[in-house]
Amino acid sequence: MPHPSPGTTDPVLRGLLRRVDWYIVALFCVIGLAAVAPADGAAAEGVSLTARLAVGLLFFLYGARLSPRAALDGVRHWRLHLPVLALTFLAFPAAGLAVGLLPDTVLSPELATGVLFLTVLPSTVQSAIAFTSMARGNVAAAICSASFSTVLGVVLTPLLAVTLISRTGSGPGPGALAITPARIGDIALQLLLPFLAGQALRRWIADWLSRHRALTTLCDRGSILLVVYSAFSHGMTTGIWHRVPPPRLLLLAAICLALLGLVLFLADGTARLIRLPRTDRVTAVFCGSNKSLASGLPMATVLFPPDRIGITVLPLMLYHTLQLVLCAYLARRWQPAPPAATTPETITSANPTTTPITTVTNKTDDASSGKRSGRRGLAPSDRP
């Protein structure tokens, strides 16, 4: 029996493996581990404490790596960044409030809280920049926009979450998200102070961090995986999957997909309405529609009770997975085709019977001949 040659199967397999986001795979593996072997008792307290320390370290690294100049430079291109920020912190939360109007029989209050929390998060940095680069958008503007969104999100996201969720009455428990001095202190201690400390020490440690990107990436992703394990361990001990049956999970995924489609449509429509160039429209679409899992999961550990974190971040994890899949498809589809180069050989081969034209020494005749040939022979895109 003939064996398939490696040249025909291995490239296909390698291509499929390159398209897999192994970080998403790792996230779902950690959820599976929490389902099979959840941390309980003293182990759960240890994991929870370690996760809270990891959150502080994560925001310290955010502050140390984020250039204030890159964030402030975004103000100069206000025609792009103002609509993106309006989508992120105004239109998106308004859509989340609309989802909260669904009856409890369709979407439970806990999942509605998770959807509303998802909508107040800042834009993601890595994914938005990667998709913008893939679609040949304005990468420099994407860096500024995502950075500016992250800086604002450290302050705006907790305030919006506490204000909107407590006022809608969809919070995870009585007074769980009430604005109290203790809660403001927790937010400042675990999110804002580490971020500001990273900004203060940036001039001394930024170069070292840039030389050890593998270490910082491991710290970033390891912290998120630890937070996910802690959250879903608490969820398993409180029966999260009994509260989210498969039909409701599918409905939640459909709601997240509808949110993503709505914001993609609004971002593209707004960019076209204010007549942004193509490269800026690409930036607006990806920076305005993406939500940060890396910021959302740590913030959830600060804002919500431990036994409610798992079910609250479930919409965020579904949305993040959908945004990676759909935005990657759009970025590949929006890649501009390389321009077809027109060479003299191509022209000659296209019309082989044409004889060469003798050059004319008169400059006036030569110039007028050039104008006539420019009108007739050049493609429309080459015309002045």
Side-chain angles (χ1 to χ4, degrees):
M1 180 177 179
H3 295 282
S5 61
T8 59
T9 57
D10 289 351
V12 176
L13 181 60
R14 286 196 298 268
L16 291 175
L17 292 177
R18 279 196 298 267
R19 291 175 181 269
V20 175
D21 190 325
W22 294 106
Y23 183 46
I24 296 297
V25 174
L27 283 172
F28 283 102
C29 288
V30 168
I31 294 174
L33 177 62
V36 175
D40 197 6
E45 294 179 1
V47 170
S48 179
L49 177 60
T50 306
R52 293 172 75 88
L53 294 176
V55 168
L57 176 61
L58 195 62
F59 275 81
F60 174 80
L61 292 176
Y62 285 164
R65 288 179 300 181
L66 185 61
S67 170
R69 180 174 298 178
L72 294 177
D73 282 347
V75 180
R76 299 178 184 176
H77 200 358
W78 61 269
R79 289 186 67 247
L80 169 64
H81 302 305
L82 192 59
V84 170
L85 291 176
L87 282 170
T88 303
F89 295 112
L90 291 177
F92 231 131
L97 290 173
V99 171
L101 298 177
L102 293 173
D104 295 350
T105 55
V106 176
L107 199 66
S108 68
E110 294 167 326
L111 291 177
T113 298
V115 172
L116 186 54
F117 173 68
L118 151 71
T119 60
V120 300
L121 290 173
S123 175
T124 182
V125 177
Q126 294 89 347
S127 298
I129 295 171
F131 293 142
T132 301
S133 176
M134 189 185 303
R136 304 295 189 270
N138 191 338
V139 177
I143 294 173
C144 293
S145 181
S147 301
F148 203 39
S149 178
T150 300
V151 172
L152 289 178
V154 174
V155 178
L156 284 183
T157 293
L159 293 179
L160 286 173
V162 170
T163 302
L164 296 180
I165 294 175
S166 60
R167 286 188 177 181
T168 57
S170 58
L177 289 182
I179 302 177
T180 62
R183 185 161 298 279
I184 295 175
D186 286 342
I187 294 172
L189 182 63
Q190 294 192 53
L191 304 181
L192 190 57
L193 286 183
F195 182 84
L196 294 177
Q199 287 278 283
L201 298 177
R202 185 180 185 277
R203 59 180 300 184
W204 293 286
I205 64 176
D207 291 338
W208 186 89
L209 291 176
S210 63
R211 291 194 304 267
H212 298 81
R213 291 184 181 275
L215 181 62
T216 56
T217 300
L218 179 63
C219 181
D220 285 352
R221 300 194 169 190
S223 300
I224 298 301
L225 293 176
L226 182 61
V227 168
V228 170
Y229 177 73
S230 175
F232 278 87
S233 290
H234 283 294
M236 288 303 300
T237 57
T238 56
I240 179 175
W241 300 117
H242 296 291
R243 291 179 285 168
V244 188
R248 182 164 287 183
L249 187 62
L250 291 176
L251 177 61
L252 178 62
I255 291 173
C256 291
L257 184 60
L259 278 175
L260 179 56
L262 173 64
V263 178
L264 286 171
F265 174 78
L266 289 177
D268 183 65
T270 303
R272 290 180 183 275
L273 183 65
I274 62 178
R275 298 182 179 180
L276 291 178
R278 178 201 173 274
T279 55
D280 287 348
R281 289 203 307 269
V282 170
T283 303
V285 166
F286 291 126
C287 291
S289 62
N290 280 215
K291 288 295 185 178
S292 177
L293 181 72
S295 298
L297 289 177
M299 288 182 181
T301 64
V302 178
L303 294 172
F304 298 99
D307 59 337
R308 303 298 178 95
I309 295 175
I311 195 168
T312 304
V313 301
L314 190 58
L316 172 59
M317 297 189 65
L318 286 175
Y319 184 90
H320 184 78
T321 305
L322 292 171
Q323 85 181 8
L324 287 177
V325 174
L326 185 55
C327 290
Y329 166 76
L330 291 177
R332 286 194 296 268
R333 184 178 178 183
W334 289 348
Q335 285 179 343
T342 304
T343 62
E345 291 79 2
T346 306
I347 298 174
T348 304
S349 62
N351 192 5
T353 60
T354 304
T355 57
I357 300 174
T358 309
T359 58
V360 182
T361 56
N362 189 303
K363 293 182 180 180
T364 305
D365 294 340
D366 190 57
S368 61
S369 175
K371 291 179 181 178
R372 288 193 298 269
S373 64
R375 292 190 187 99
R376 295 173 182 172
L378 292 180
S381 59
D382 295 329
R383 295 176 188 169

